[in-house]
Amino acid sequence: MKTFKTFIYSILFLSVASCTGDFDEINTKKYGFESSELSAKYFITETQYQLYAPNRYPYWRAHLIHADRFAGHFTFGHDQSWWSDGLSYVYNGGYTDASWGWLAGYFGNVKKFLDLTKEGGDFENEKMYATGLIIKSLYYQMYTDIFGMIPYTEAGIEGNLTPKYDDQKTIYKGIISDLNKAMTLIGSATKTGDGVNDLAENDLYCGGDLQKWKKLANTLKLRIAMRALGAPGDDFANTAITEALAAPLLDDGTGSVTMKKDVKIGQWGSAAYGDVWHNFGGGSDWTMGATLINTLKNSNDPRLAAYAKAAPGGEFTFDDDGSNPNFQDQLNFITTNLDNANASYTKTVTGTTTKITVAPGQYIGQPTRLNSLIKPMVKYNMFSKPSDLVIQETGKGTDAYPEIILTSAEAYFLQAEAAVRTIGSGNAQSLFEKGIREAMKLWKVPSGDVDTYIATQAAANISAGTMAEKLEKIALQRWLVSYTDGFEAWAVVRDYGYPTELAVGVSDAKIFELGTLNGKYPQRMRYGSGAQSNPNYTQAIGTQGSDEQGTTLWFAK
């Protein structure tokens, strides 16, 4: 039996190696493996990257079509795009099914790793098991914050094909329990073992450093507890926050936890923004959201040039041929957007023709959620595109911007918020500044530019003002540091209500796509069609609310 198992795991090992490209450099042996050479370390790599960089099918549909645009970071709907920016605001079952299928299906990845490493598992290793619990926690926090009630306590129980849907409070408390267990299992250990039992380079998140894993777990605990704080029936957040603040968090010593993009693996194994930018025709050409660009510009934020490229500009012609009764209102909207961006432009009107000439080299964002009526007037070259670092295509030998797992910047911002709320004892302004510095490091902003930003910009100062004003600034910094992590940025908007212009939704049907929600801001994604095959689905929507994008989740204030 042992010989058979060794053969099976050798085959599995080679299979994992062959589909993970450059991620862990384990695809080197072309022959069988001895039992002493087998380890669960060879199963963690795929488990990790499939959560943050799945193949292009869900990456396009879940990330870009939904979360990144609900977050106000990216936009479609210009005159060269295949679709209006109302995409996803008008419910589309196919896109939603792809998102639900990816996250619901991912559970098998992390369960496999936990089963291999648990007590009595084929590769029993309590330290690796602890990392699996933390990955499971990262997964469930993302999963529940997107859909709300999901299978949790009964998920993965053998023989149970219809697990119940748990409420978010139960899930949050369960995640915190798992994180506490993981941190206890890690203790003072620095690695999962020696030789083949050391995760080392196979660990894409922390490089095998268990103390960094422990800080990651504690920071995630703080994020979840702060999100739950004040939600209906919350009976655990204050305690969890206090516990987290008393233990090590991600900081300027450990830095952020990010995942480097693979430069060899194909996009159908693991995708990046560049993979859905370069080879999808007019659907690939997306622009930067005006809310994001203007927030950066208005505070002279030095990340602007790292996040985005300046707009090409040029001369744009608008002809009023009488067929569009909303022509003047829409044209006024276009010029108002230029004014809001403090753009340099000229406007000339000759008869029924208006020409707007926009100087090149300016950062101008496109308003979010524009409809198909205004689409012909939304000129592609008038707006900024994502920076080359963001849309670097994988497989070209050049590093792309890494996937964000959890940042040290957020750890400091959460501590600053706790201090503002008088839960923590730290100095809110000092913690806020440290968060800004860590956020800027992610984009390699020169330290002198960071110093200037902190010294001169009101956005970097929470030493004065009301609690609401301070929390708004913290929320905006959390939203900014979550650029390219649309799931978390979207959660920040729903939790805090900032940036306000996103959270309040839209109302002008001549300009914006009111969509399925009649202009309201999306609060969740709808369940995929597969969810309805579980008889517990009916109970879930009876408890949480109708299966609509507008149903507010438990944590949202």
Side-chain angles (χ1 to χ4, degrees), residues 60-79:
W60 174 250
R61 289 159 177 77
H63 295 64
L64 189 55
I65 286 181
H66 286 99
D68 293 308
R69 293 175 48 260
F70 292 165
H73 289 168
F74 301 128
T75 48
F76 299 142
H78 50 77
D79 64 342

Side-chain angles (χ1 to χ4, degrees), residues 171-404:
I171 296 168
Y172 275 22
K173 293 177 77 170
I175 293 172
I176 289 174
S177 178
D178 276 348
L179 291 170
N180 287 338
K181 181 177 181 179
M183 290 186 282
T184 298
L185 288 173
I186 290 172
S188 60
T190 57
K191 59 182 183 178
T192 55
D194 296 319
V196 75
N197 291 313
D198 183 6
L199 284 178
E201 72 277 2
N202 289 64
D203 171 13
L204 304 178
Y205 296 174
C206 301
D209 181 350
L210 283 184
Q211 291 307 300
K212 190 168 186 177
W213 272 104
K214 194 172 181 179
K215 289 185 176 183
L216 168 62
N218 195 43
T219 304
L220 180 59
K221 176 180 176 179
L222 182 58
R223 170 196 277 181
I224 291 169
M226 291 297 291
R227 185 156 291 161
L229 187 66
D234 161 39
D235 58 3
F236 64 93
N238 263 292
T239 297
I241 292 167
T242 301
E243 291 173 351
L245 293 175
L249 296 153
L250 292 173
D251 56 24
D252 52 6
T254 55
S256 299
V257 179
T258 60
M259 188 180 76
K260 183 179 179 181
K261 299 286 180 64
D262 195 286
V263 296
K264 295 180 182 177
I265 192 171
Q267 60 187 277
W268 289 108
S270 175
Y273 284 118
D275 298 322
V276 295
W277 169 271
H278 294 284
N279 54 17
F280 202 42
S284 296
D285 299 330
W286 22 286
T287 52
M288 298 293 293
T291 306
L292 178 60
I293 293 295
N294 291 344
T295 299
L296 293 167
K297 286 181 69 172
N298 291 342
S299 61
N300 294 313
D301 194 306
R303 286 171 289 189
L304 178 59
Y307 280 19
K309 289 187 287 192
E315 183 179 271
F316 306 99
T317 301
F318 304 85
D319 290 312
D320 185 3
D321 61 5
S323 63
N324 179 5
N326 301 314
F327 176 85
Q328 195 57 52
D329 287 338
Q330 292 172 350
L331 182 62
N332 290 343
F333 178 81
I334 296 296
T335 57
T336 297
N337 183 66
L338 292 172
D339 293 336
N340 290 340
N342 294 314
S344 174
Y345 70 98
T346 60
K347 174 183 173 183
T348 59
V349 180
T350 304
T352 59
T353 299
T354 299
K355 290 186 178 180
I356 295 177
T357 302
V358 179
Q362 302 182 84
Y363 291 94
I364 303 169
Q366 178 183 316
T368 295
R369 203 168 170 174
L370 301 182
N371 63 26
S372 58
L373 299 177
I374 196 174
K375 184 174 179 286
M377 302 180 73
V378 184
K379 308 300 185 180
Y380 182 49
N381 285 334
M382 190 179 285
F383 305 106
S384 293
K385 286 79 177 175
S387 68
D388 288 335
L389 185 61
V390 174
I391 59 172
Q392 170 59 47
E393 191 173 7
T394 56
K396 303 299 182 183
T398 302
D399 285 343
Y401 183 68
E403 293 286 348
I404 294 173

